[in-house]
Amino acid sequence: MSGSEGSPSPAAAQGVERVRYHVPDMDCPSCLAKIEGHLSRCEGVVGVEGSPVARTLTVAMDPSQTTADRLRAEVARLGYDAHPKSGGRDRVPPVSTWRSRPARIAYASMSLFVVGVLMRFVGPDPLLAELPLAELRLAGLFFVAAALVGGWNFFPRGIRAARALALDMNFLMTVAILGALAIGEYAEAAAIAFLFALAELMESYAVDRARGSVEALMELAPETARVWRDGRETLVPAGELEPGDQVVVRPGERIPADGTVTDGHSAVDESPITGESLPVDKDPGADVYAGTINRGGYLRFQVEKPAAESTLARIVRMVEEAEGSKSRSERFVERFARWYTPAVTVGAVLVVAVPTLLLAQPFAPWFVRGLTLLVIACPCALVISTPVAVVSGITAAARHGVLIKGGSYLEALGQVRAVALDKTGTVTFGHPEVVEVVPVNGADRDEALARAAAVEARSEHPLARAIVERARRDDLPGGWFVSDFSSMPGVGARARLDGEEYLVGRPSLMPDNGGVDAPGRLAGEGRTVVGVADGKQTLAWIALADRARDAASVAVERLRALGVEHVVMLTGDNQETAEAVAREMGVDEVRARLMPEDKVEVVRDLEARYGLVAMVGDGVNDAPALATAGVGIAMGAIGTDAALETADVALMGDDLTRLPYVRRLSLRARGVIRQNIAAAILVKAALALAVPFGWVSLVTAVVVGDMGVSLAVTLNALRLGSVKDGHGV
């Protein structure tokens, strides 16, 4: 976009572009609401969304009517700096909370306050002036300075809020501090200023910790990469890699981009993306992903995607977008805060007006109580209680290889009563495997399997690939000279090994069976049986099946323990095959011979019977059912664009135990959200009711009603990071 510094999305729909900013000082929902309200009224702005926890702002705009620079200027008018975001990282490096400008202001305010306290209780404190409502001593002068310096963090935005008639935190604190100064409560004003500034810093630090997992994800991709050019290695910035580049990765190094292995063999640790602990073997032709770790040997791969479009970069973007989405609880709290703050503010006016105007009470003490209620009216601790839990939950899930698209889905996962599992590729591996080899006629089991693999090595049939893979995994010998290979579609294959003919195929193809089937025990339970024969007799029967994943039955058992009432398996396979897998898994119900539209109807039927339903599939073939379910969960989404885009929740790896993990995380998150909302409302309500009786001071209102509650709900939310992906919590 000409003349702008923002980072518009590469694909703009109908002339609309999205620009993203990092807004360091947008640290509370009221700040976000103010920015959203202002920008939504600007020409050319189509939509605005953001996250005060992530401190990100995304604006959908019409580039023919406005520019990213103009939007930055509009945000600056409200008193906030907006830094463009590009490629998932800020162009302006983040500053530590404790070394930021607000922190320096807070330190200066605190220092002046401490000097004032020492002057009052230790050193000489001469009288400087007699004012109408109080006397000004030297200590008081330091307190005034502390109040004005500390208040500078929010005075400018408080004045802007007053002009806009907005009752936000900055306005309320500005009134409280200036009001306390006006009636001579200098120490109270100073304490409010530096304690509130300190509270903001502590809240900012705690909130940054809540989203630390996303920043850790962003740091997974290395800064530089070794590119193979002109017969030698050249070190280049990873962000400059382009499709087609040949990249070299040595043992222990992180892979800088998505690509395909062209040379070498190694085991790659994909746990930073998928959460799976076991390394994955990589040979030429295998896919590798940015942020994963080369644990073993030398690898060279060809870059397939630019850094900004890697799976890791897309995960980071989606997690940040998820942080900006609002859950049902968050929307409730925001609606509550919209009437809570004005109501308490009106109460503050009445606390001052009624006793002084109608009951002839002294003005100063009731004015202080009114200011105290204004501090309690600040909604930040209440409104931050939910999004900080949502962000903590989403980032914890990302660290365990689960991408949750928003707070609404995080909450919904805990309300699911029925789960529908697609069979092929989800419950099972999605491809046949050799499950049993039975030698006959005195043949050797390993030699028969090895000869079958030698014949099938030239076939592309899934059964052939399964036989070859099993022989390779068993490290069986080969070395025969293969000639005269021929494939018989739907029947089998034949070839000569060192001049002697061998057959692999249906039982009816075997020379000594005359069409008689293989033993019944092999053919049952959804298995496919093929025979291996030389020119005279059968050597072995090989049973193959699409085997259920080892974790499938464990996942179903744990889901039931976590309150899921009904688990059903859906498949397009025949009933016998489906029931064989279902028995192994222990599901409650099997629906077989289903077309994609049939799976949609099953999901609707489950919703009618149980309420909220989660559908688990591969994200492509099951897209209609995933879209119909209350929560659509795609498994094995790493490197799968369709799964990442269409699902509500994406399990990056193929580990079904992530299902009970994310269920457990959701249940804990819903509990934390309820605790945070209840704590914020009850503490503020108790303080507000105690104010008219003079039981709550201004300092108590700040320390307990704002700083205390904010820190409590934030630290409570951080517990979500301790939810384990195993049996424990």
Side-chain angles (χ1 to χ4, degrees):
M1 182 167 48
S2 176
S4 72
E5 297 180 55
S7 54
S9 63
Q14 298 180 349
V16 175
E17 292 183 354
R18 294 166 66 86
V19 289
R20 304 180 68 246
Y21 303 100
H22 174 61
V23 187
D25 295 330
M26 188 183 70
D27 52 7
C28 72
S30 60
C31 300
L32 172 60
K34 183 164 60 176
I35 295 173
E36 285 180 335
H38 179 74
L39 289 182
S40 63
R41 294 189 293 270
C42 294
E43 183 181 12
V45 174
V46 178
V48 186
E49 58 185 21
S51 168
V53 181
R55 297 177 188 177
T56 57
L57 187 69
T58 302
V59 185
M61 69 172 196
D62 183 346
S64 66
Q65 299 182 49
T66 189
T67 66
D69 283 341
R70 194 176 301 166
L71 296 177
R72 288 184 66 196
E74 291 295 333
V75 175
R77 285 181 58 192
L78 300 176
Y80 300 90
D81 292 328
H83 304 299
K85 290 180 71 69
S86 176
R89 298 192 181 187
D90 302 340
R91 291 189 190 178
V92 178
V95 178
S96 167
T97 299
W98 306 109
R99 294 197 301 270
S100 63
R101 178 177 174 274
R104 294 195 298 270
I105 291 175
Y107 301 151
S109 175
M110 183 170 60
S111 300
L112 291 168
F113 177 80
V114 170
V115 173
V117 170
L118 292 175
M119 292 295 297
R120 174 175 286 185
F121 296 104
V122 179
D125 189 16
L127 179 67
L128 300 180
E130 286 282 355
L131 300 177
L133 296 178
E135 58 183 22
L136 179 63
R137 294 183 174 273
L138 183 58
L141 190 62
F142 279 100
F143 289 142
V144 171
L148 295 177
V149 170
W152 195 251
N153 274 335
F154 37 89
F155 282 167
R157 290 200 290 270
I159 294 170
R160 293 187 185 96
R163 290 173 180 168
L165 301 178
L167 294 176
D168 70 354
M169 172 270 295
N170 298 295
F171 171 76
L172 296 173
M173 286 300 168
T174 298
V175 172
I177 292 172
L178 296 181
L181 290 175
I183 62 172
E185 297 286 347
Y186 306 129
E188 294 275 16
I192 294 171
F194 97 77
L195 283 174
F196 190 76
L198 183 61
E200 291 290 289
L201 291 175
M202 295 178 70
E203 181 181 304
S204 174
Y205 173 73
V207 168
D208 285 344
R209 280 194 59 195
R211 66 178 307 269
S213 296
V214 176
E215 294 176 355
L217 276 176
M218 294 167 63
E219 299 300 324
L220 286 178
E223 294 287 341
T224 58
R226 291 188 179 88
V227 180
W228 187 262
R229 291 176 180 167
D230 302 324
R232 62 187 182 88
E233 295 178 9
T234 303
L235 206 62
V236 302
E240 296 179 4
L241 292 175
E242 297 179 356
D245 283 340
Q246 293 286 327
V247 177
V248 173
V249 186
R250 294 173 181 168
E253 294 181 342
R254 290 189 181 272
I255 293 171
D258 287 6
T260 304
V261 176
T262 57
D263 186 30
H265 169 78
S266 183
V268 173
D269 179 3
E270 295 184 345
S271 62
I273 305 297
T274 66
E276 295 178 0
S277 57
L278 295 178
V280 180
D281 288 338
K282 300 292 182 179
D283 295 302
D287 294 328
V288 291
Y289 305 99
T292 57
I293 307 166
N294 179 20
R295 290 298 188 196
Y298 166 95
L299 280 180
R300 190 163 77 194
F301 71 92
Q302 178 174 299
V303 176
E304 300 294 342
K305 298 178 182 177
E309 294 302 316
S310 70
T311 300
L312 174 62
R314 295 179 67 202
I315 291 172
V316 171
R317 282 201 299 273
M318 288 180 177
V319 170
E320 289 185 331
E321 289 169 4
E323 291 173 349
S325 68
K326 291 181 172 61
S327 67
R328 184 190 306 178
S329 297
E330 190 171 353
R331 289 192 292 269
F332 160 77
V333 169
E334 289 184 351
R335 289 194 301 269
F336 180 83
R338 276 199 289 269
W339 68 261
Y340 163 81
T341 299
V344 179
T345 303
V346 170
V349 174
L350 293 176
V351 162
V352 178
V354 171
T356 57
L357 298 179
L358 300 182
L359 303 177
Q361 294 289 313
F363 175 76
W366 287 102
F367 186 69
V368 170
R369 293 175 189 181
L371 293 178
T372 305
L373 262 183
L374 279 183
V375 172
I376 295 170
C378 176
C380 284
L382 173 61
V383 184
I384 203 70
S385 62
T386 301
V388 73
V390 168
V391 169
S392 183
I394 289 174
T395 53
R399 192 170 64 246
H400 287 86
V402 180
L403 176 59
I404 302 175
K405 295 291 188 69
S408 59
Y409 302 117
L410 176 65
E411 286 192 280
L413 284 162
Q415 298 172 293
V416 166
R417 296 176 58 200
V419 175
L421 300 168
D422 175 59
K423 183 182 82 71
T424 306
T426 303
V427 169
T428 65
F429 288 95
H431 55 80
E433 291 187 355
V434 173
V435 293
E436 193 168 0
V437 180
V438 179
V440 292
N441 295 323
D444 180 76
R445 180 258 187 203
D446 288 349
E447 183 178 356
L449 179 59
R451 290 186 180 275
V455 172
E456 297 284 34
R458 301 189 179 188
S459 173
E460 293 298 320
H461 193 279
L463 296 178
R465 289 199 297 270
I467 292 171
V468 172
E469 172 60 25
R470 180 58 183 265
R472 186 192 68 80
R473 200 164 70 236
D474 290 357
D475 197 24
L476 299 181
W480 295 284
F481 176 73
V482 182
S483 61
D484 298 336
F485 171 82
S486 64
S487 175
M488 296 169 281
V491 179
R494 69 175 72 237
R496 291 186 177 276
L497 306 182
D498 290 341
E500 185 177 351
E501 184 178 64
Y502 285 86
L503 301 171
V504 181
R506 287 184 175 184
S508 59
L509 186 66
M510 299 299 100
D512 58 343
N513 265 41
V516 177
D517 283 342
R521 71 177 185 83
L522 288 180
E525 298 188 345
R527 294 177 172 184
T528 299
V529 179
V530 299
V532 186
D534 56 20
K536 302 176 183 177
Q537 61 183 3
T538 304
L539 302 178
W541 299 112
I542 302 175
L544 302 97
D546 186 4
R547 189 168 55 86
R549 297 180 187 275
D550 297 334
S553 60
V554 175
V556 171
E557 180 183 349
R558 292 184 189 175
L559 285 174
R560 284 207 186 92
L562 292 167
V564 174
E565 298 176 18
H566 194 77
V567 181
V568 58
M569 188 181 74
L570 313 181
T571 180
D573 284 347
N574 62 67
Q575 190 72 29
E576 181 186 13
T577 300
E579 288 180 352
V581 175
R583 282 193 296 272
E584 190 175 344
M585 287 181 54
V587 298
D588 300 299
E589 184 181 358
V590 177
R591 300 285 188 94
R593 296 192 181 280
L594 299 177
M595 300 296 288
E597 57 270 22
D598 298 326
K599 294 181 181 180
V600 171
E601 291 303 317
V602 172
V603 169
R604 288 175 178 162
D605 175 60
L606 290 171
E607 287 178 338
R609 291 159 54 194
Y610 295 98
L612 195 63
V613 172
M615 170 69 194
V616 187
D618 61 13
V620 181
N621 298 330
D622 303 307
L626 290 173
T628 302
V631 183
I633 304 174
M635 196 176 83
I638 184 170
T640 308
D641 293 348
L644 286 175
E645 296 294 341
T646 61
D648 305 320
V649 177
L651 311 183
M652 302 308 295
D654 289 325
D655 186 358
L656 274 171
T657 60
R658 291 295 181 273
L659 279 178
Y661 160 72
V662 78
R663 166 77 171 188
R664 186 181 297 109
L665 178 68
S666 175
L667 292 171
R668 176 69 71 84
R670 294 180 69 229
V672 165
I673 288 170
R674 288 195 295 267
Q675 293 162 13
N676 283 357
I677 293 173
I681 291 176
L682 291 175
V683 170
K684 283 186 172 286
L687 291 174
L689 292 174
V691 165
F693 300 98
W695 297 340
V696 179
S697 67
L698 271 168
V699 173
T700 302
V702 173
V703 173
V704 178
D706 189 85
M707 178 171 65
V709 178
S710 295
L711 288 177
V713 299
T714 302
L715 294 175
N716 190 38
L718 290 177
R719 294 191 304 121
L720 293 175
S722 67
V723 178
K724 307 299 183 184
D725 57 358
H727 286 286
V729 178

